[in-house]
Short mmCIF file of all heavy atoms in Angstrom, two decimals:
data_model
loop_
_atom_site.label_atom_id
_atom_site.label_comp_id
_atom_site.label_asym_id
_atom_site.label_seq_id
_atom_site.Cartn_x
_atom_site.Cartn_y
_atom_site.Cartn_z
N LEU D 142 -10.55 29.85 -19.71
CA LEU D 142 -11.45 28.89 -20.33
C LEU D 142 -10.73 27.67 -20.81
O LEU D 142 -11.22 26.54 -20.66
CB LEU D 142 -12.23 29.59 -21.45
CG LEU D 142 -13.27 28.75 -22.20
CD1 LEU D 142 -14.40 28.40 -21.21
CD2 LEU D 142 -13.83 29.57 -23.38
N TRP D 143 -9.60 27.86 -21.40
CA TRP D 143 -8.78 26.78 -21.96
C TRP D 143 -8.35 25.84 -20.87
O TRP D 143 -8.53 24.61 -20.95
CB TRP D 143 -7.59 27.39 -22.70
CG TRP D 143 -6.90 26.50 -23.64
CD1 TRP D 143 -7.27 25.23 -24.05
CD2 TRP D 143 -5.66 26.77 -24.31
NE1 TRP D 143 -6.37 24.72 -24.98
CE2 TRP D 143 -5.39 25.65 -25.12
CE3 TRP D 143 -4.80 27.85 -24.33
CZ2 TRP D 143 -4.23 25.59 -25.92
CZ3 TRP D 143 -3.67 27.78 -25.13
CH2 TRP D 143 -3.38 26.67 -25.92
N LEU D 144 -7.76 26.37 -19.80
CA LEU D 144 -7.34 25.62 -18.68
C LEU D 144 -8.46 24.88 -17.99
O LEU D 144 -8.37 23.69 -17.58
CB LEU D 144 -6.58 26.48 -17.66
CG LEU D 144 -5.24 27.03 -18.07
CD1 LEU D 144 -4.69 28.04 -17.04
CD2 LEU D 144 -4.23 25.93 -18.34
N ALA D 145 -9.59 25.57 -17.84
CA ALA D 145 -10.79 24.98 -17.20
C ALA D 145 -11.29 23.79 -17.97
O ALA D 145 -11.73 22.82 -17.39
CB ALA D 145 -11.86 26.01 -17.01
N GLY D 146 -11.15 23.82 -19.30
CA GLY D 146 -11.54 22.69 -20.12
C GLY D 146 -10.71 21.45 -19.81
O GLY D 146 -11.27 20.35 -19.68
N PHE D 147 -9.43 21.65 -19.73
CA PHE D 147 -8.51 20.50 -19.40
C PHE D 147 -8.79 20.01 -17.99
O PHE D 147 -8.79 18.81 -17.74
CB PHE D 147 -7.10 20.94 -19.57
CG PHE D 147 -6.62 21.06 -21.00
CD1 PHE D 147 -6.20 22.28 -21.48
CD2 PHE D 147 -6.62 19.98 -21.84
CE1 PHE D 147 -5.81 22.43 -22.80
CE2 PHE D 147 -6.20 20.08 -23.16
CZ PHE D 147 -5.79 21.31 -23.63
N VAL D 148 -9.03 20.93 -17.07
CA VAL D 148 -9.30 20.53 -15.68
C VAL D 148 -10.57 19.68 -15.60
O VAL D 148 -10.63 18.64 -14.97
CB VAL D 148 -9.43 21.76 -14.77
CG1 VAL D 148 -9.97 21.38 -13.38
CG2 VAL D 148 -8.08 22.44 -14.64
N PHE D 149 -11.64 20.14 -16.30
CA PHE D 149 -12.89 19.45 -16.27
C PHE D 149 -12.75 18.01 -16.85
O PHE D 149 -13.28 17.06 -16.27
CB PHE D 149 -13.91 20.23 -17.11
CG PHE D 149 -15.25 19.54 -17.26
CD1 PHE D 149 -16.21 19.59 -16.25
CD2 PHE D 149 -15.56 18.86 -18.44
CE1 PHE D 149 -17.43 18.95 -16.39
CE2 PHE D 149 -16.79 18.19 -18.56
CZ PHE D 149 -17.72 18.28 -17.55
N LEU D 150 -12.00 17.86 -17.92
CA LEU D 150 -11.86 16.55 -18.54
C LEU D 150 -10.99 15.64 -17.69
O LEU D 150 -11.36 14.49 -17.41
CB LEU D 150 -11.26 16.71 -19.92
CG LEU D 150 -12.13 17.41 -20.97
CD1 LEU D 150 -11.34 17.70 -22.20
CD2 LEU D 150 -13.35 16.57 -21.30
N CYS D 151 -9.85 16.13 -17.30
CA CYS D 151 -8.88 15.27 -16.56
C CYS D 151 -9.38 14.93 -15.18
O CYS D 151 -9.06 13.86 -14.65
CB CYS D 151 -7.50 15.92 -16.51
SG CYS D 151 -6.73 16.18 -18.13
N ALA D 152 -10.13 15.85 -14.57
CA ALA D 152 -10.67 15.54 -13.23
C ALA D 152 -11.64 14.38 -13.27
O ALA D 152 -11.74 13.62 -12.31
CB ALA D 152 -11.31 16.77 -12.66
N GLY D 153 -12.32 14.20 -14.39
CA GLY D 153 -13.21 13.07 -14.54
C GLY D 153 -12.49 11.72 -14.48
O GLY D 153 -13.02 10.79 -13.93
N LEU D 154 -11.33 11.67 -15.12
CA LEU D 154 -10.51 10.46 -15.06
C LEU D 154 -10.08 10.19 -13.65
O LEU D 154 -10.16 9.03 -13.17
CB LEU D 154 -9.33 10.61 -15.98
CG LEU D 154 -8.32 9.46 -15.95
CD1 LEU D 154 -8.96 8.15 -16.37
CD2 LEU D 154 -7.13 9.77 -16.88
N TYR D 155 -9.62 11.18 -12.94
CA TYR D 155 -9.17 11.00 -11.56
C TYR D 155 -10.34 10.58 -10.67
O TYR D 155 -10.18 9.69 -9.79
CB TYR D 155 -8.56 12.29 -11.03
CG TYR D 155 -8.09 12.24 -9.61
CD1 TYR D 155 -6.98 11.52 -9.27
CD2 TYR D 155 -8.78 12.95 -8.60
CE1 TYR D 155 -6.52 11.47 -7.92
CE2 TYR D 155 -8.34 12.87 -7.30
CZ TYR D 155 -7.24 12.16 -6.97
OH TYR D 155 -6.80 12.10 -5.63
N ALA D 156 -11.54 11.17 -10.92
CA ALA D 156 -12.71 10.77 -10.12
C ALA D 156 -13.10 9.32 -10.39
O ALA D 156 -13.46 8.58 -9.46
CB ALA D 156 -13.91 11.69 -10.49
N MET D 157 -12.94 8.84 -11.63
CA MET D 157 -13.20 7.47 -11.90
C MET D 157 -12.27 6.55 -11.16
O MET D 157 -12.66 5.51 -10.63
CB MET D 157 -13.15 7.23 -13.42
CG MET D 157 -13.29 5.74 -13.82
SD MET D 157 -14.92 5.06 -13.38
CE MET D 157 -15.98 5.90 -14.59
N GLN D 158 -10.98 6.86 -11.14
CA GLN D 158 -10.03 6.02 -10.48
C GLN D 158 -10.25 6.00 -8.95
O GLN D 158 -10.04 5.00 -8.30
CB GLN D 158 -8.58 6.55 -10.77
CG GLN D 158 -7.46 5.58 -10.38
CD GLN D 158 -7.10 5.68 -8.90
OE1 GLN D 158 -7.24 6.76 -8.29
NE2 GLN D 158 -6.57 4.61 -8.37
N GLN D 159 -10.70 7.14 -8.43
CA GLN D 159 -10.91 7.22 -6.99
C GLN D 159 -12.31 6.74 -6.58
O GLN D 159 -12.64 6.74 -5.37
CB GLN D 159 -10.80 8.67 -6.52
CG GLN D 159 -9.37 9.19 -6.63
CD GLN D 159 -8.43 8.51 -5.59
OE1 GLN D 159 -8.73 8.46 -4.41
NE2 GLN D 159 -7.37 7.92 -6.09
N ARG D 160 -13.10 6.28 -7.50
CA ARG D 160 -14.51 5.85 -7.27
C ARG D 160 -15.30 6.98 -6.55
O ARG D 160 -16.18 6.72 -5.71
CB ARG D 160 -14.58 4.60 -6.37
CG ARG D 160 -14.18 3.30 -7.07
CD ARG D 160 -12.75 3.17 -7.32
NE ARG D 160 -12.38 1.76 -7.58
CZ ARG D 160 -11.18 1.43 -8.01
NH1 ARG D 160 -10.22 2.34 -8.21
NH2 ARG D 160 -10.88 0.13 -8.23
N SER D 161 -15.02 8.22 -6.91
CA SER D 161 -15.64 9.32 -6.27
C SER D 161 -16.68 10.03 -7.15
O SER D 161 -17.14 11.10 -6.80
CB SER D 161 -14.60 10.38 -5.85
OG SER D 161 -13.88 10.86 -6.96
N HIS D 162 -17.02 9.47 -8.28
CA HIS D 162 -18.08 10.00 -9.10
C HIS D 162 -19.43 9.78 -8.43
O HIS D 162 -19.55 8.98 -7.53
CB HIS D 162 -18.08 9.37 -10.50
CG HIS D 162 -17.95 7.90 -10.50
ND1 HIS D 162 -16.81 7.24 -10.22
CD2 HIS D 162 -18.91 6.90 -10.68
CE1 HIS D 162 -17.01 5.91 -10.25
NE2 HIS D 162 -18.27 5.70 -10.52
N ILE D 163 -20.43 10.48 -8.89
CA ILE D 163 -21.77 10.37 -8.26
C ILE D 163 -22.38 9.02 -8.51
O ILE D 163 -22.45 8.55 -9.67
CB ILE D 163 -22.70 11.46 -8.81
CG1 ILE D 163 -22.15 12.85 -8.43
CG2 ILE D 163 -24.13 11.29 -8.28
CD1 ILE D 163 -22.95 13.99 -9.01
N ARG D 164 -22.76 8.34 -7.47
CA ARG D 164 -23.40 7.01 -7.56
C ARG D 164 -24.58 6.93 -6.58
O ARG D 164 -24.48 7.54 -5.49
CB ARG D 164 -22.38 5.90 -7.26
CG ARG D 164 -21.17 5.84 -8.18
CD ARG D 164 -20.21 4.80 -7.76
NE ARG D 164 -20.72 3.46 -7.99
CZ ARG D 164 -20.09 2.36 -7.68
NH1 ARG D 164 -18.87 2.41 -7.12
NH2 ARG D 164 -20.62 1.15 -7.90
N ILE D 165 -25.60 6.27 -6.96
CA ILE D 165 -26.79 6.09 -6.10
C ILE D 165 -26.79 4.65 -5.57
O ILE D 165 -26.92 3.73 -6.36
CB ILE D 165 -28.09 6.40 -6.85
CG1 ILE D 165 -28.05 7.86 -7.36
CG2 ILE D 165 -29.29 6.20 -5.95
CD1 ILE D 165 -29.18 8.23 -8.23
N PHE D 166 -26.63 4.49 -4.27
CA PHE D 166 -26.43 3.18 -3.67
C PHE D 166 -27.71 2.63 -2.98
O PHE D 166 -27.67 1.56 -2.39
CB PHE D 166 -25.31 3.20 -2.61
CG PHE D 166 -24.00 3.53 -3.17
CD1 PHE D 166 -23.46 4.80 -3.03
CD2 PHE D 166 -23.25 2.59 -3.82
CE1 PHE D 166 -22.17 5.08 -3.53
CE2 PHE D 166 -22.01 2.83 -4.36
CZ PHE D 166 -21.46 4.10 -4.22
#
Side-chain angles (χ1 to χ4, degrees):
L142 182 64
W143 198 7
L144 291 174
F147 286 117
V148 169
F149 175 80
L150 293 171
C151 297
L154 175 61
Y155 179 71
M157 175 61 72
Q158 193 277 332
Q159 291 294 305
R160 286 73 163 171
S161 60
H162 47 284
I163 297 175
R164 300 176 69 182
I165 300 174
F166 296 103

